[in-house]
Amino acid sequence: MNDDPPPHSQAHPHPLSADRLDRYARHIVLPEIGGAGQAALARSHVMLVGLGGIGAPALQYLAGAGIGQLTLVDDDKVSASNLQRQTIYTVRDIGHGKAVSARRWLANFDDRLGVTIHDTRITADNVGAMVSGADLVLDGTDNFATRLAVSDACTTARVPLLSAAVGRFQGQVGAFAGHLPDQPCYRCFVGDAFDAEDCDTCAEDGVLGAMVGWVGTFAAMQAVRILVSGTGGMGDSGWGKLHLMDGLKPGMRTLNIAKDPACRGCGAISV
């Protein structure tokens, strides 16, 4: 995706039938979205990496927004401890794969949306094929190795990335488009000098369920912002902006991330 309207917004039949127009009426009456924006959402393909605390509420609101094609990626299974914050699962899902359970939730919510699932762990070798064809990737995983593999694949495929993380009462959501001139990728933000597997986990540190919901739904809102940007939309896409969320204060502040010319993820990408 670049600064021009995305290809899916040009010269295609209108994707919304009369019943779909009724379903999204509250979006369509918003001048910032309107019929053109809702059609853009219906033609969009979003890949969700991680279907846990962030991915679960993000999926609910992306599906509710009418994203036409969703790719769901997670190799984990549902456990009882997930139910405190991972809002698409029930006790019946315990022991079942998250990707399969998420697809079942989606089918019950709206069987008109396209869905592809991957229940294998993301690696640097397989992520490129998964990212290919997406208009946007939303990563809510909990380890640097996966996040960096996703970031590098997005940069190579020229696909924008929303990266979201949460722990205890703190969260962050950043928008990255390292394939664009002067825009950073996620690797510009975190660098390379750490143990790629070393992330704090909810099991060790705890997390407020509602805090995870705030981060996931905010990430979904940012996804909508990006996907409707070609139609006028909700303002600029916010590339390079990192939103830091504090659930105890409560409050939010925004930082600007600079592109690293020496970044091995995006520094050599040609315009």
Side-chain angles (χ1 to χ4, degrees):
M1 183 178 292
N2 53 37
D3 291 333
D4 299 321
H8 56 58
S9 69
Q10 303 172 7
H12 287 278
H14 200 285
L16 300 174
S17 58
D19 63 315
R20 302 299 275 180
L21 291 172
D22 183 61
R23 181 166 186 145
Y24 303 118
R26 300 302 186 275
H27 268 183
I28 292 170
V29 298
L30 292 170
E32 295 81 1
I33 296 180
Q38 191 60 50
L41 295 175
R43 293 187 178 114
S44 294
H45 178 184
V46 174
M47 175 176 165
L48 264 173
V49 187
L51 299 167
I54 293 170
L59 174 60
Q60 289 179 299
Y61 279 92
L62 291 174
I67 303 301
Q69 182 68 36
L70 291 153
T71 296
L72 311 179
V73 186
D74 201 308
D75 69 332
D76 199 8
K77 290 182 168 55
V78 180
S79 66
S81 64
N82 298 150
L83 303 184
Q84 165 251 12
R85 65 198 178 282
Q86 299 182 19
T87 50
I88 58 176
Y89 307 121
T90 71
V91 291
R92 294 184 179 182
D93 296 311
I94 293 173
H96 295 275
K98 289 184 178 178
V100 172
S101 299
R103 180 174 59 185
R104 183 165 51 244
W105 177 88
L106 187 62
N108 289 329
F109 179 75
D110 188 348
D111 62 5
R112 302 265 293 274
L113 303 180
V115 59
T116 301
I117 67 169
H118 297 281
D119 57 2
T120 55
R121 189 169 186 82
I122 277 185
T123 67
D125 294 327
N126 64 18
V127 67
M130 296 184 193
V131 167
S132 178
D135 297 303
L136 177 68
V137 173
L138 197 167
D139 184 355
T141 55
D142 62 359
N143 69 87
F144 285 121
T146 301
R147 291 180 191 172
L148 288 170
V150 171
S151 174
D152 291 346
C154 285
T155 301
T156 299
R158 307 184 73 86
V159 175
L161 170 67
L162 279 171
S163 182
V166 67
R168 294 177 58 83
F169 299 93
Q170 310 295 319
Q172 63 183 39
V173 177
F176 300 96
H179 58 283
L180 296 179
D182 301 321
Q183 295 298 341
C185 70
Y186 177 76
R187 190 181 286 274
C188 292
F189 168 45
V190 300
D192 303 317
F194 51 75
D195 179 351
E197 296 288 350
D198 181 20
C199 270
D200 297 332
T201 68
C202 295
E204 295 170 348
D205 295 339
V207 66
L208 181 70
M211 184 71 211
V212 180
W214 182 17
V215 174
T217 53
F218 184 79
M221 185 175 73
Q222 294 300 87
V224 170
R225 178 191 305 277
I226 291 167
L227 293 169
V228 302
S229 62
T231 65
M234 299 162 58
D236 69 68
S237 299
W239 305 132
K241 293 187 182 299
L242 180 73
H243 303 280
L244 302 176
M245 308 157 77
D246 186 335
L248 286 179
K249 190 172 285 186
M252 180 188 296
R253 61 193 179 100
T254 302
L255 304 178
N256 292 313
I257 307 299
K259 190 178 187 76
D260 178 4
C263 175
R264 64 186 182 94
C266 69
I269 294 293
S270 59
V271 177

